[in-house]
Each structure stands twice: as structure tokens, then as C-alpha cells.
Amino acid sequence: MNFLAIIGGGPAGYTAAEQAIKAGKQVVIFEKESLGGTCLNVGCIPTKTLLYSAKQYYNATHAQKYGVTAENVVFDYAAMQKRKTIVVRKLVAGIKQRLNSELCTLVTGEAAVVSRTDEKVVIACNGVEYEAENLLICTGSTNFVPPIPGIKENEAVWSSTDALSAKELPKSIVIVGGGVIGMEFATLYHELGVPVTIIEAMPQILPNIDGEIAAMLRERYEKAGVQILTDTKVLEIKGNTAVTSQGDFAAERILVCVGRRANLSGLEALTDLEYERGIKVDDFMRTNLSNVYAAGDVTGKIMLAHAASRQAEVAVGRMLKQIPLQRIAYNAIPSVVYTNPEIASVGITEEVMDCEVRRLPMTFSGRFMAENEGETGLCKMLIDKKSQSILGVHAIGNPCSEFIAAASFAVRMGYTVSEFKQVVFPHPTVSEILKEIL
Ligand code: FAD
Ligand code: NAD
């Protein structure tokens, strides 16, 4: 009874379990599919593994600008998929290893809450009941299927999970939703030579990204032959044709990635639980029920693996009354879109706040010049006009995913321009752009 129950073994669930174990707390973690959750099994890791293979092929066939010519470069999609499966398997095994403790019981099965009082939460799984002191809900999210006629039970329609498990590349693809998943799959398919059409309902692709940077990516992808329609709604899917407000678009497959929704099944017994996009939580991830917490995608706050892990850390810290209690700094959570070139950002955008904007092409970095022939890239830093503190950084250009953590650190710590100027960056690295821009 004196233990923490965690439903869901994704980044939120396994991070929470690890932290609780380290603090000497007994944990029971329920996972109905595979440890690692969406991120390791059908999300971050398999997509990035396939994207890396595609990039190798693309670079090999576009290396002339670096003085290298390779002939008869071929790829083997089945081999790419096989490698992806091995990477995933190894990482999942690693999580299992990390949870290997006398304090942790892993239950494989679908859990459901049976009842709750302020003293205990009763959870059932595989016909067994468990009485826990606290419950942490980490059930994640699943693909949202919009109510478009013809979308259901249509073999031509893929979710991201279908696309990841497909043994063969599609001959052509229409991608509905030019958000993060849509743009990453567009990159994968385009780099492997598949004709791609993206249909986005909003006026810009990647609607949550800095507008100027999203426009740069669009221009780059359109030049390379990717067809992009914005402000376009899919009205119906007839077989393998997307009927839209701008005409009909046919392809062998139609990949639908228009967002994800919180997984809430099994929680019906928590009749008083409050919702707001997902499960409503306070700054410490506590729900309106005193001994029930939630972390990760299920809260609907920000659907990123690293945000899920941080939320889980905060929840466990609060539950175990660890001092000092920590809140999450949502303003300093970085995000990366793994297109080619990559996009990375942290903090506010120009669209939401009037502030000083400093901007510099990435070509001001010597390392960027050495490794990104023909590219300009862009880095923008948003600075509070009065305090001169750094509020946001947005970049496009490879490999900005690798230096955005430094910008997050500056935003998190509230560094001013003069404080950040004192940080020394190694030369030559693309991260030096953060210093050049000051
Ligand atoms: P999940 O990872 O979804 O884990 C929830 C777990 O709970 C699942 O394993 C599920 O089986 C289990 N579960 C649910 N209900 C029950 C139940 N009743 N009983 C037992 N078990 C249950 N984020 C990034 O930060 N970077 C990326 O590059 C990135 N790429 C992505 C690519 C794709 C294609 C997708 C779909 C997502 C991507 N994400 C990425 C998002 C990331 O995967 C999620 O934000 C992250 O996995 C959320 O973690 P979580 O622990 O909240 O939920
Ligand atoms: P998203 O919210 O990023 O993008 C969905 C897109 O679909 C939006 O641009 C939206 O305007 C568009 N859309 C919605 N309805 C539409 C319609 N009917 N027709 C055409 N377009 C429509 O969601 P996603 O791409 O599905 O990704 C889900 C979550 O997974 C995101 O929250 C994202 O943060 C996370 N994720 C992160 C990464 C990463 O960090 N690199 C990668 C993949 C996924």
C-alpha cells in the first residue's frame, strides 16, 4: 500500500520510476505494450534512426559540392528498417535494465483505476488489484484521426506508426498535416526519392515555429521539389486521393498526422478528475485529486519526450516532498524539428511578444561554412528591451539541434546579453553563432 503506482512506461513513466527508486520509494509500473512508450517504440527514436539513414544516402548523392563524387549509390530500405528495429530493441532493453531494482515491480498489462479515496488509489491489472498511496498517470497520447469522410478503414491511409512499420517505401505520398511529424516524414521520403505532397490547413507549415524560419524551410523544400499546400483543407479521402479545397491529390499512401490526443481510457473511475486539453495539473503536476498526479503527453501541455521526463521529475519531487520543490520552466523547454536543415528553438517567438530581435545568417560560423555548402541558415535571438535578458532563440541550419541546449540554459537562468557574452564556446563549432549574434 505504501507505494507509488505509475500507469505508462514511456519517458514520463520510466523517468518517474527511476527517480522514485533512487529516493528509496517502492514503485509499481504498469505498461500495456512496450517500455519506452511512443518515444522509443514508434516516435522519436525510430524516426530519427530512419532519418539518419536517409541523410547518409542523400549526402552521398549530393556530395559533389564538397568535391566528392560517388557513383551507383543505392539504399536498402529493408536494411534501414532492420537497423531501426535493433536500435529500438537495444534502447528498450536499456530502460528495462535501469528499472531493474528490488523497489520496482513492472506489470505488463492494461491498468485501470478501480476506486480512489484521499488515503489510497486502487488499480486493477490482469485481474489483480493494487492499493497505492499515490498514482502518477503517464498514459501518453495517440494519433488523432480527424472526422474526414473516407479516412477510416482505408488501406491507403497511414498513421505515423503505420509508416514506421511499413516494409517498403511508398511510391508517392500525400502528407496531411505540415506539423512536426508531417515535416519529418516529408524529409525522410523526399531524401529517399519519393514524391511528396504536404497539405496543411494553416497559412504556414510548422504553425508553432517562428514564421520567418518556417518560410525558409518551405522555400528550401519547394525548390527541392516537395509540393506544399497551405491554407488547404482535406474535405474527403476517396481511396488514395485526398480531395481538398485546392483540388485532388492522389498518391500510393496518405499519411495523416494532424496532432495527437491524450490517452484517458482506464481512468473512468476518477469521476471528479478535471481536464483541460488533457489531464489538468498544477505547477507540480498534481491533479485536482490530492494523491493523483499526471505527467507527459496525457496532460496535453507540451507533447515532447524531454518535457514529459521533466514533468515526471517534478511530480515525483512533489509527491516525495523533496526539497527544494521545483516547478517546470516551460519558457525554457527547447524543441527541434529534424528536417534537413534542422530547426531548433527555445522560448518566445516574435509573434507573441514585442522585443529586440538580433538576427544573423549561420554563415557567420566558420564551422557552418565548412560543412553547409550553399546554405545560409539563420539564427535569431529575442531579447527583453528593458532588462536585456535572453527570452528566445530560433535557428535553422545544421546542426542547430546540438547547440540549442546552450540557448535553453541562457533562457532558463535568465542570462542577460552581457552575462551570456562571458560564456566561451569552443572553436570552430556552429554553437559560436550564439556568441556572434551578441
Ligand atoms: P508515451 O511515450 O506515449 O508513453 C505512454 C505509455 O503508456 C505507452 O507505452 C502506453 O502503452 C502506456 N499506456 C497507456 N495507457 C495504459 C494503460 N491503461 N495501462 C498500461 N499502460 C498504458 N518528442 C520529442 O521530444 N522528440 C522527437 O523527436 C519526437 N518525435 C516523435 C515522432 C513521432 C512519430 C511521434 C508520434 C512522437 C514524437 N515525439 C517526439 C513525441 C514523444 O514521443 C512524446 O512526447 C513522448 O513519448 C511522451 O511521453 P509519455 O511518457 O508522456 O507518453
Ligand atoms: P502538430 O500539432 O505538430 O501538427 C499537426 C499539423 O496538422 C498542424 O500544422 C495543423 O495545423 C495541421 N492540421 C490539423 N488538422 C488538419 C487538417 N484537417 N488538414 C490539414 N492539416 C491539418 O502535430 P503532429 O505533427 O501530429 O505531432 C504530434 C506531437 O508530437 C506534436 O505535439 C509534436 O511536438 C510531437 N512531435 C515532436 C517531434 C520533435 O520534437 N522533433 C517530432 C514528432 C512529433
Side-chain angles (χ1 to χ4, degrees):
M1 154 79 185
N2 189 19
F3 67 86
L4 161 63
I6 301 171
I7 308 183
Y14 70 70
T15 305
E18 252 191 306
Q19 180 162 332
I21 295 164
K22 274 188 198 143
K25 183 84 185 164
Q26 194 107 24
V27 172
V28 177
I29 179 165
F30 304 93
E31 172 51 58
K32 65 176 177 171
E33 288 172 14
S34 174
L35 273 180
T38 303
C39 174
L40 261 64
N41 296 286
V42 290
C44 328
I45 299 301
T47 49
K48 275 63 201 184
T49 310
L50 287 178
L51 275 166
Y52 188 75
S53 289
K55 202 190 249 183
Q56 296 305 309
Y57 173 72
Y58 188 83
N59 285 346
T61 51
H62 290 75
Q64 249 175 332
K65 56 189 178 184
Y66 299 105
V68 177
T69 308
E71 279 168 18
N72 304 322
V73 180
V74 290
F75 66 83
D76 176 348
Y77 195 63
M80 291 179 183
Q81 284 282 22
K82 194 172 162 196
R83 176 171 174 272
K84 175 210 79 181
T85 306
I86 293 168
V87 169
V88 168
R89 208 176 288 151
K90 281 185 183 162
L91 289 170
V92 171
I95 300 293
K96 213 171 248 175
Q97 191 58 37
R98 280 155 66 174
L99 298 185
N100 184 15
S101 156
E102 280 178 3
L103 290 173
C104 184
T105 306
L106 170 63
V107 181
T108 306
E110 183 158 3
V113 177
V114 176
S115 63
R116 188 204 82 92
T117 62
D118 282 345
E119 285 70 45
K120 65 178 183 190
V121 187
V122 182
I123 297 127
C125 189
N126 303 332
V128 180
E129 289 199 352
Y130 300 80
E131 289 184 7
E133 188 185 5
N134 286 303
L135 168 65
L136 178 59
I137 304 167
C138 302
T139 47
S141 66
T142 30
N143 301 316
F144 172 62
V145 181
I148 296 172
I151 205 169
K152 285 196 179 145
E153 281 153 33
N154 180 339
E155 279 194 3
V157 174
W158 270 356
S159 66
S160 59
T161 304
D162 298 325
L164 283 171
S165 63
K167 290 200 170 60
E168 284 176 16
L169 272 179
K171 290 188 179 57
S172 55
I173 194 144
V174 165
I175 299 179
V176 183
V180 191
I181 295 183
M183 293 313 298
E184 290 187 356
F185 273 100
T187 307
L188 171 71
Y189 291 131
H190 168 68
E191 293 196 335
L192 294 178
V194 176
V196 176
T197 300
I198 299 163
I199 300 173
E200 166 58 47
M202 300 294 280
Q204 77 169 48
I205 54 164
L206 298 168
N208 298 325
I209 296 290
D210 175 280
E212 188 179 5
I213 284 179
M216 285 174 75
L217 186 77
R218 177 180 186 159
E219 193 188 335
R220 169 71 202 271
Y221 273 33
E222 283 182 328
K223 237 183 224 164
V226 176
Q227 187 176 19
I228 301 179
L229 292 103
T230 44
D231 259 329
T232 304
K233 292 215 165 60
V234 177
L235 308 170
E236 191 182 350
I237 298 179
K238 280 188 191 162
N240 59 359
T241 302
V243 179
T244 81
S245 45
Q246 307 291 329
D248 294 357
F249 297 90
E252 188 188 351
R253 299 287 173 187
I254 299 176
L255 172 62
V256 178
C257 35
V258 296
R260 293 173 62 84
R261 295 291 179 274
N263 286 331
L264 301 172
S265 73
L267 307 176
E268 295 79 3
L270 298 172
T271 47
D272 295 333
L273 189 64
E274 288 179 3
Y275 297 92
E276 189 182 68
R277 293 180 76 187
I279 297 175
K280 189 177 172 188
V281 285
D282 66 13
D283 285 354
F284 303 102
M285 312 315 293
R286 194 154 80 150
T287 71
N288 62 310
L289 308 175
S290 61
N291 49 359
V292 179
Y293 293 71
D297 282 10
V298 74
T299 65
K301 275 184 171 294
I302 174 171
M303 291 190 176
L304 294 173
H306 44 288
S309 313
R310 180 65 189 140
Q311 288 177 331
E313 287 168 2
V314 168
V316 172
R318 170 68 182 79
M319 229 179 282
L320 303 184
K321 299 184 178 64
Q322 288 173 340
I323 303 293
L325 275 186
Q326 293 173 7
R327 283 188 170 79
I328 301 177
Y330 283 108
N331 64 324
I333 294 181
S335 70
V336 174
V337 190
Y338 294 84
T339 42
N340 189 8
E342 296 171 350
I343 292 176
S345 47
V346 63
I348 60 153
T349 56
E350 268 180 276
E351 284 87 356
V352 300
M353 192 174 155
D354 175 38
C355 43
E356 182 188 334
V357 182
R358 299 194 189 178
R359 46 202 316 292
L360 210 59
M362 295 278 271
T363 43
F364 275 69
S365 148
R367 178 77 179 275
F368 183 86
M369 283 291 281
E371 296 182 357
N372 292 275
E373 185 61 43
E375 301 285 340
T376 50
L378 178 66
C379 185
K380 293 167 85 168
M381 188 175 276
L382 275 59
I383 297 159
D384 185 82
K385 281 183 178 164
K386 219 166 147 194
S387 68
Q388 285 292 289
S389 55
I390 298 165
L391 301 177
V393 172
H394 306 273
I396 178 168
N398 293 333
C400 57
S401 60
E402 289 300 338
F403 71 68
I404 200 65
S408 305
F409 191 76
V411 174
R412 174 70 183 89
M413 302 314 286
Y415 278 0
T416 60
V417 167
S418 65
E419 283 166 337
F420 201 46
K421 266 186 180 163
Q422 295 169 42
V423 176
V424 179
F425 289 86
H427 178 76
T429 60
V430 181
S431 68
E432 287 173 292
I433 195 73
L434 292 174
K435 190 121 180 180
E436 295 289 341
I437 207 169
L438 299 173

